[in-house]
Amino acid sequence: MESYMQMLTDCAKKAAVEAAKMGTADKNRGLLAVADELTAQQDMILEENAKDLEAAKEKGIKQSLIDRLALSEKRIADMAEGLRQIAALDDPVGEVLYMKTRPNGLRIGKKRVPLGVVGIIYESRPNVTADAFGLCFKTGNAAILRGGSDAIHSNQAIVRAIKSGLRKEKLCQDVVLLVEDTSREVAGEMMKMHGGIDVLIPRGGAGLIANVVENSTVPVIETGTGNCHVYVDASADIRMAADIVENAKTQRLGVCNACESLVVHSEIAPEALPQIVERLKAHDVEIRGDERARAISEEIIPASEEDWGTEYLDAIISVKIVDSIDEAIAHINKYNTGHSESIITNDYNNALKFQDEIDAAAVYVNASTRFTDGFEFGFGAEIGISTQKLHARGPMGLEALTTTKYVIFGNGQIRK
């Protein structure tokens, strides 16, 4: 007897064949129909989301994580807009990357093709359900989505709306399949579906990602946690620095591109740090710093070694004082998670040095780390932020969900 996951993957593989055959016009038609359906069914989606929020509150889940789970009319409108943006983007499938003629007359080319069946294991954020569908659908893939138990009602509602939109356009509904059994056993089985799932993408906290990377027999694209830093250089504009740190830390606490660590040059720290602390304290952020930082501001409590490497996802930030840009870069590269790092500086050479030497997927000069996002990068949405270096890195848009094949044209050549 086939298992639950085996039935899902069998269904997804058939749907992937259908998806790969779809032309760009059909895919765009489906995306626009689903976008309209999400807004048309927003009341139903919000009702189901309310069930998840109530359950989260009863479990005592912290507010920053409840914020990740919560939907609103605006967030649903943003999900729909993300699908419309994906529809407006160029379709990468079928793009010929090059075509060369060999001396024997063979014409050898390379073109983009779908990955096939994309599995995504994720936590909390229901918007991932719509984003993942949109990106996989545009790239001719089928998606198997396994969200967390904390968002099951929201995810079921969103998938219901997606399938309704596809049905209205007479398109294959099985291109998106939700794993409705949220048990650990089924998640473990999903990780072992080598041959049924072509690639697995985890999105969530460090524990989830580590579990998938360590236990999956399916190839994994690792999306990382975000211990993101903002470094305030000696030449920084202090008001700009305060604006950026305030935004990067407090706009949304429970997201992977929020600033968790602040690094400040000792020359500017006596003037800059009190202003930054004042901004953060207005948002009730707990600030943990080294002895030099605490000597500048009484609002700062002692930091431990563990703080330098922690992704808080909460109203907490660490502060480290350094004496040079080299020391800042060394500290950040030691403790970062390869996600997003920013320097605030008016020194052009230091800006280039920081971008050259920091090992991360996204490196900013004079901007908030909160921009590391597929929507903000113009990708319409993202399937995740890859912090690994193979296949994809940074916000993963359409191209990251394709692979390539070689296509060869001959006129009777045989190998001698």
Side-chain angles (χ1 to χ4, degrees):
M1 181 177 175
E2 276 193 326
S3 70
Y4 174 63
M5 277 308 309
Q6 188 66 59
M7 287 188 290
L8 279 183
T9 53
D10 287 349
C11 191
K13 286 185 81 68
K14 291 175 184 175
V17 173
E18 294 302 311
K21 293 177 184 177
M22 286 186 198
T24 303
D26 285 338
K27 291 187 282 189
N28 290 345
R29 182 165 53 86
L31 288 166
L32 296 175
V34 170
D36 291 343
E37 202 67 18
L38 286 173
T39 52
Q41 296 200 37
Q42 71 174 14
D43 290 344
M44 179 272 291
I45 295 170
L46 291 173
E47 283 178 17
E48 295 301 302
N49 182 243
K51 296 177 184 177
D52 292 328
L53 292 176
E54 185 61 32
K57 289 170 185 173
E58 288 177 4
K59 290 178 185 175
I61 293 174
K62 61 186 179 182
Q63 186 57 45
S64 59
L65 296 183
I66 288 177
D67 176 62
R68 297 173 76 158
L69 179 60
L71 291 175
S72 62
E73 288 187 9
K74 183 183 183 305
R75 287 187 181 178
I76 292 173
D78 286 345
M79 285 159 51
E81 177 59 24
L83 294 181
R84 294 187 183 103
Q85 286 198 14
I86 293 170
L89 295 172
D90 290 339
D91 186 348
V93 175
E95 177 189 0
V96 177
L97 300 177
Y98 68 78
M99 182 70 71
K100 297 180 180 178
T101 302
R102 298 287 298 144
N104 62 4
L106 284 178
R107 294 173 62 218
I108 300 176
K110 191 177 188 181
K111 74 173 184 176
R112 292 194 187 278
V113 295
L115 288 167
V117 177
V118 178
I120 301 151
I121 299 179
Y122 55 105
E123 296 172 329
S124 297
R125 296 186 209 168
N127 66 289
V128 173
T129 304
D131 292 350
F133 155 73
L135 291 165
C136 289
F137 186 69
K138 179 82 177 207
T139 47
N141 296 297
I144 298 179
L145 310 179
R146 195 275 186 186
S149 58
D150 54 349
I152 186 61
H153 294 99
S154 308
N155 291 335
Q156 286 172 330
I158 293 166
V159 169
R160 220 157 37 235
I162 291 170
K163 288 180 177 289
S164 175
L166 293 172
R167 185 167 57 249
K168 288 180 178 179
E169 294 299 317
K170 296 182 172 56
L171 296 169
C172 178
Q173 297 173 57
D174 289 339
V175 292
V176 58
L177 297 169
L178 181 68
V179 181
E180 300 196 15
D181 183 336
T182 58
S183 66
R184 290 187 178 182
E185 291 75 19
V186 168
E189 187 184 355
M190 186 176 178
M191 296 177 208
K192 304 298 183 185
M193 297 305 296
H194 185 75
I197 298 174
D198 293 291
V199 65
L200 197 56
I201 303 171
R203 281 193 64 170
L208 167 73
I209 293 165
N211 182 33
V212 174
V213 171
E214 289 169 14
N215 294 300
S216 179
T217 61
V218 178
V220 174
I221 299 177
E222 184 176 352
T223 63
T225 52
N227 181 26
C228 304
H229 297 71
V230 174
Y231 167 53
V232 182
D233 194 27
S235 65
D237 179 305
I238 292 174
R239 182 171 179 178
M240 178 192 291
D243 287 344
I244 288 172
V245 173
E246 180 181 23
N247 175 264
K249 179 67 227 178
T250 69
Q251 194 213 13
R252 286 189 72 185
L253 296 171
V255 290
C256 61
N257 56 18
C259 172
E260 305 285 26
S261 300
L262 174 64
V263 181
V264 185
H265 196 287
S266 57
E267 287 182 21
I268 202 171
E271 186 179 358
L273 193 53
Q275 295 183 45
I276 294 171
V277 167
E278 183 181 1
R279 295 282 196 98
L280 294 175
K281 280 298 178 182
H283 297 274
D284 297 320
V285 175
E286 180 181 299
I287 306 165
R288 302 176 183 177
D290 60 11
E291 289 185 8
R292 298 170 78 184
R294 292 178 61 224
I296 293 170
S297 174
E298 295 179 352
E299 299 279 2
I300 301 174
I301 65 173
S304 67
E305 175 67 22
E306 184 181 358
D307 282 305
W308 307 133
T310 299
E311 181 190 33
Y312 299 110
L313 300 173
D314 205 348
I316 308 169
I317 194 171
S318 66
V319 183
K320 175 76 173 177
I321 305 296
V322 296
D323 292 320
S324 68
I325 186 171
D326 289 308
E327 188 182 349
I329 290 169
H331 176 81
I332 292 169
N333 281 340
K334 180 177 180 180
Y335 293 103
N336 79 354
T337 52
H339 197 294
S340 302
E341 312 297 339
S342 181
I343 182 175
I344 317 304
T345 187
N346 281 318
D347 186 318
Y348 179 72
N349 290 328
N350 280 0
L352 294 183
K353 180 181 178 68
F354 190 84
Q355 287 196 319
D356 286 344
E357 297 182 19
I358 287 292
D359 186 10
V363 186
Y364 294 85
V365 174
N366 295 332
S368 170
T369 57
R370 285 284 290 119
F371 286 104
T372 307
D373 175 87
F375 191 88
E376 294 292 342
F377 276 25
F379 300 161
E382 99 233 345
I383 206 77
I385 311 290
S386 171
T387 54
Q388 66 180 39
K389 298 180 182 180
L390 296 180
H391 178 68
R393 196 179 194 195
M396 294 167 58
L398 296 175
E399 289 185 3
L401 288 173
T402 63
T403 183
T404 57
K405 70 163 64 165
Y406 285 96
V407 290
I408 303 96
F409 295 91
N411 54 3
Q413 287 89 340
I414 58 173
R415 184 166 179 176
K416 297 177 181 179

XYZ file of all heavy atoms in Angstrom, residues 325 329 343 345 347-358 363 365:
148
model
N 38.088 48.821 10.499
C 37.201 48.091 9.596
C 37.640 46.635 9.478
O 36.803 45.729 9.340
C 37.116 48.764 8.207
C 36.057 48.051 7.349
C 38.481 48.792 7.512
C 35.728 48.751 6.057
N 35.180 43.502 10.031
C 34.988 42.440 9.039
C 35.291 41.074 9.648
O 34.557 40.102 9.442
C 35.857 42.709 7.795
C 35.315 43.914 7.022
C 35.929 41.469 6.895
C 36.242 44.433 5.928
N 27.216 48.077 5.837
C 28.144 49.078 6.368
C 27.540 50.455 6.162
O 26.983 50.748 5.095
C 29.535 48.985 5.693
C 30.510 50.006 6.305
C 29.438 49.161 4.186
C 31.947 49.894 5.779
N 28.805 54.159 5.929
C 30.094 54.832 5.776
C 30.020 55.911 4.711
O 29.192 55.840 3.799
C 31.192 53.803 5.405
O 32.469 54.433 5.415
C 30.944 53.185 4.032
N 33.152 56.602 3.463
C 34.473 56.299 2.929
C 34.315 55.291 1.787
O 33.977 54.131 2.006
C 35.353 55.718 4.040
C 36.795 55.504 3.609
O 37.012 55.023 2.478
O 37.707 55.782 4.413
N 34.546 55.745 0.564
C 34.340 54.903 -0.623
C 35.204 53.650 -0.576
O 34.738 52.546 -0.887
C 34.654 55.727 -1.879
C 34.505 54.970 -3.177
C 33.251 54.625 -3.679
C 35.635 54.604 -3.918
C 33.120 53.923 -4.870
C 35.510 53.917 -5.117
C 34.251 53.579 -5.591
O 34.128 52.893 -6.770
N 36.458 53.793 -0.186
C 37.360 52.637 -0.133
C 36.896 51.611 0.890
O 36.964 50.402 0.652
C 38.795 53.091 0.173
C 39.416 53.837 -0.992
O 39.123 53.552 -2.154
N 40.274 54.807 -0.689
N 36.412 52.108 2.051
C 35.908 51.175 3.068
C 34.642 50.472 2.586
O 34.423 49.300 2.903
C 35.644 51.908 4.384
C 36.916 52.136 5.174
O 38.000 51.754 4.750
N 36.800 52.764 6.340
N 33.815 51.190 1.837
C 32.597 50.579 1.296
C 32.961 49.410 0.380
O 32.390 48.312 0.479
C 31.772 51.610 0.544
N 33.931 49.632 -0.523
C 34.346 48.574 -1.439
C 35.027 47.426 -0.701
O 34.801 46.254 -1.021
C 35.296 49.137 -2.499
C 34.701 50.147 -3.489
C 35.753 50.541 -4.516
C 33.467 49.579 -4.183
N 35.845 47.775 0.286
C 36.543 46.744 1.072
C 35.528 45.847 1.787
O 35.648 44.621 1.782
C 37.466 47.419 2.095
C 38.257 46.459 2.986
C 39.111 47.225 3.980
C 39.880 46.310 4.917
N 40.929 45.544 4.204
N 34.511 46.455 2.374
C 33.476 45.712 3.092
C 32.739 44.774 2.129
O 32.547 43.591 2.418
C 32.504 46.704 3.743
C 31.533 46.095 4.714
C 31.882 45.875 6.031
C 30.238 45.764 4.315
C 30.990 45.333 6.940
C 29.326 45.221 5.213
C 29.704 45.003 6.519
N 32.360 45.295 0.963
C 31.636 44.463 0.005
C 32.520 43.335 -0.544
O 32.028 42.240 -0.812
C 31.092 45.309 -1.141
C 29.894 46.168 -0.717
C 29.116 46.715 -1.900
O 29.708 47.139 -2.888
N 27.795 46.731 -1.787
N 33.800 43.612 -0.708
C 34.708 42.587 -1.226
C 35.001 41.488 -0.214
O 35.098 40.314 -0.572
C 36.040 43.221 -1.655
C 35.931 44.002 -2.960
O 34.931 43.811 -3.681
O 36.834 44.805 -3.245
N 35.139 41.842 1.061
C 35.670 40.907 2.044
C 34.621 40.245 2.932
O 34.912 39.219 3.564
C 36.721 41.618 2.914
C 37.917 42.092 2.105
C 38.990 42.758 2.946
O 39.004 42.565 4.185
O 39.825 43.485 2.358
N 33.419 40.791 2.995
C 32.367 40.167 3.795
C 31.818 38.956 3.050
O 31.491 39.023 1.863
C 31.228 41.160 4.107
C 31.685 42.178 5.154
C 29.971 40.439 4.584
C 31.915 41.600 6.544
N 25.383 42.090 0.553
C 26.231 43.030 1.296
C 25.858 44.447 0.877
O 25.962 44.812 -0.302
C 27.733 42.768 1.043
C 28.576 43.657 1.947
C 28.073 41.296 1.279
N 25.745 48.797 1.289
C 26.407 50.043 1.688
C 25.312 51.074 1.905
O 24.515 51.361 1.006
C 27.397 50.533 0.617
C 27.947 51.910 0.995
C 28.531 49.532 0.434
